[in-house]
Amino acid sequence: MAVVNVESEIAGNVWKIQAKPGDAIEFEGEIMILESMKMEIPVLSPKAGIIKEIKVAEGEAIGEGQLVAVLDV
């Protein structure tokens, strides 16, 4: 299996993690929701696969381009 890194497109706070390691996820499935400037922005899977790792925690402040999850595809 190939590994795909999922990065945040924006800076913000991790509001809610929707998927956990071992979960199957579809292409553009919601991995987590970020909160930035009072807006909720979903982080979507770039490919279908299995969540290998979640690299952030709920409530954590993250930066643009930060690694947030790893997928096996």
Side-chain angles (χ1 to χ4, degrees):
M1 290 186 120
V3 173
V4 173
N5 291 328
V6 181
E7 298 176 350
S8 171
E9 295 179 10
I10 60 154
N13 293 313
V14 179
W15 183 67
K16 186 170 186 182
I17 296 175
Q18 305 284 73
K20 64 185 182 307
D23 285 355
I25 193 146
E26 298 175 5
F27 170 65
E28 294 192 344
E30 200 169 86
I31 298 172
M32 64 187 65
I33 301 172
L34 304 180
E35 185 275 324
S36 180
M37 297 184 295
K38 307 241 185 260
M39 294 181 4
E40 295 174 9
I41 297 100
V43 175
L44 305 177
S45 177
K47 296 184 180 245
I50 305 291
I51 302 288
K52 184 174 181 178
E53 289 181 80
I54 299 291
K55 297 289 205 173
V56 295
E58 287 186 5
E60 184 176 339
I62 63 171
E64 183 177 343
Q66 182 172 335
L67 179 65
V68 296
V70 179
L71 304 176
D72 273 331
V73 296

